[in-house]
Amino acid sequence: MVVGDLTDESVDRLFHALADNTRRDILRRSVEGRLSVSRLAELYPMSFAAVQKHVAVLERAGLVTKERHGREQLVRTEPDAVHRARRALDQIEALWRGRVDRMADLLARAPEAGADEPVQGEDR
Amino acid sequence: MVVGDLTDESVDRLFHALADNTRRDILRRSVEGRLSVSRLAELYPMSFAAVQKHVAVLERAGLVTKERHGREQLVRTEPDAVHRARRALDQIEALWRGRVDRMADLLARAPEAGADEPVQGEDR
DNA sequence: ATCTCCTACAACCATTTGGTTGTATGTTAG
DNA sequence: CTAACATACAACCAAATGGTTGTAGGAGAT
C-alpha cells in the first residue's frame, strides 16, 4: 500500500528512525544545521561510532542530510520528512474521521437495510 | 525529556508500533472496532500467534484496545493515541519553525501585551 | 458433556538493532 | 611533511524483533 509517494518501506524507515530517543534528540538539535557528527557525539553517553550509526539511520529515513563543511560533516534535519511522517498519521486519523462521518450519516438518515457493511476487500 | 504527558518510553513504543506495515494495516482496519484477533489473522500471510503479537505491540503502545465480546476479543484503534503520536511530531516541526523559542519567551517574560501570534496554529 | 473455536502464552529460531573496538582514509593545522 | 582531527566502515557481541510451533484454558454450540 502506498500513501502518496511514500512506499511502505519508506514509512517503515521513517517511524523506525523516530522510535529512538537519541535519534529524536539529534533531530531536535540538528534543526539549526550547525552541528557536526562529532559535535553531536559529545552530547551522548555513547561512542562516536554509535552516534554515527544513529545519524545514518536518520539519513536513510530522509529525516536528515549531511553537508560537507571543511573536514566536518554538518547535520541538518529535513523538515519535509517530518511533515511526511505526519501525513502518514493523518491518513489513519482521516480513516477514523471517515468512520465518525459515516456514523453521523447513519444517525441522520433513517436506519433501514440490514447490510452490515462489506468488510473492505483485499489490500495486500 | 518529556513532551506533555508523554514519556520518552511511551513515544518510543508509539513510533516503534507504527514502524511496521502489518501493524499500520491492523490499525487502519480496526478503526471500526468490529474485527476479532482471529478475524484479523485471516488477512495476513502469517500465523495467528504472529498477528496476536502485533496486536499486543499496538496495545502496549496504547494505539489499540481489546474488548471482550463473547469468546472473541474485538480490536479497536484508539484515535487519541494516533493523535498523541502526531503531537510528538508537531513538537519537532514547531522547533523547526522556531515557535518553541517564542513560546519559551512568552513563558519566561512577564506576560504583558498581546502575543502577536496564537500559540497553537491549526490543529486539524 | 463434549467438541470446536478463540485466545493466551511459552519455547525456540533467524535476523536486526544498538552498542562496542579497531582500522583506514581524508582534511586541516603546524 | 607530519601530527591531529573528523569521518567512514568492518567485525564483533548482547539483546530485541518478528516469525514459528506447541500447549492450555475459557466460552459457545451441539
Side-chain angles (χ1 to χ4, degrees):
Chain A
M1 206 216 187
V2 177
V3 181
D5 57 340
L6 295 179
T7 65
D8 289 331
E9 287 75 25
S10 69
V11 178
D12 285 359
R13 282 193 293 269
L14 217 39
F15 285 126
H16 168 69
L18 290 167
D20 181 284
N21 195 43
T22 300
R23 287 195 289 263
R24 288 192 299 274
D25 198 66
I26 291 175
L27 262 194
R28 294 190 207 99
R29 292 190 194 263
S30 302
V31 168
E32 309 278 339
R34 278 192 267 97
L35 293 175
S36 64
V37 180
S38 45
R39 209 55 110 73
L40 281 167
E42 292 168 10
L43 301 171
Y44 308 101
M46 64 185 76
S47 68
F48 169 78
V51 173
Q52 207 177 14
K53 281 190 184 181
H54 280 304
V55 172
V57 169
L58 290 167
E59 204 177 7
R60 261 179 272 123
L63 281 162
V64 131
T65 55
K66 288 188 290 188
E67 187 187 346
R68 268 239 119 75
H69 220 258
R71 63 181 161 185
E72 297 182 330
Q73 195 89 266
L74 301 188
V75 179
R76 160 172 285 119
T77 105
E78 210 58 50
D80 286 356
V82 180
H83 199 71
R84 239 174 285 141
R86 267 197 29 169
R87 270 195 289 137
L89 289 179
D90 286 347
Q91 188 226 14
I92 293 169
E93 276 198 292
L95 254 174
W96 169 67
R97 251 178 263 117
R99 162 181 165 258
V100 171
D101 291 347
R102 243 174 303 159
M103 281 174 60
D105 221 38
L106 286 176
L107 289 176
R109 294 158 189 277
E112 54 125 345
D116 46 29
E117 203 83 7
V119 187
Q120 185 43 296
E122 42 48 60
D123 189 14
R124 44 160 56 233
Chain B
M1 205 217 185
V2 176
V3 182
D5 56 341
L6 294 179
T7 65
D8 289 332
E9 289 74 24
S10 70
V11 179
D12 285 358
R13 281 193 294 270
L14 217 40
F15 284 126
H16 168 70
L18 290 167
D20 180 284
N21 194 43
T22 300
R23 288 195 288 265
R24 289 192 300 274
D25 198 67
I26 291 175
L27 262 195
R28 294 189 208 101
R29 299 185 120 114
S30 302
V31 167
E32 308 277 338
R34 282 197 252 95
L35 292 176
S36 64
V37 181
S38 45
R39 208 56 108 77
L40 281 167
E42 294 168 8
L43 301 170
Y44 306 102
M46 63 185 76
S47 69
F48 169 80
V51 173
Q52 207 177 16
K53 280 192 185 180
H54 280 304
V55 172
V57 169
L58 290 167
E59 203 177 7
R60 260 179 272 123
L63 282 162
V64 131
T65 55
K66 288 188 291 187
E67 186 188 346
R68 267 239 119 74
H69 221 259
R71 62 182 160 182
E72 296 182 332
Q73 196 88 269
L74 300 188
V75 179
R76 159 172 285 120
T77 106
E78 210 59 49
D80 285 356
V82 180
H83 198 73
R84 239 174 285 141
R86 269 204 23 175
R87 271 196 288 138
L89 289 179
D90 287 347
Q91 190 227 14
I92 293 171
E93 277 198 292
L95 208 83
W96 166 64
R97 294 195 194 106
R99 280 196 196 167
V100 165
D101 288 344
R102 243 180 299 164
M103 283 170 60
D105 228 31
L106 285 175
L107 291 176
R109 294 160 189 280
E112 53 136 282
D116 55 13
E117 175 98 356
V119 175
Q120 256 285 28
E122 38 60 58
D123 183 18
R124 238 247 286 168

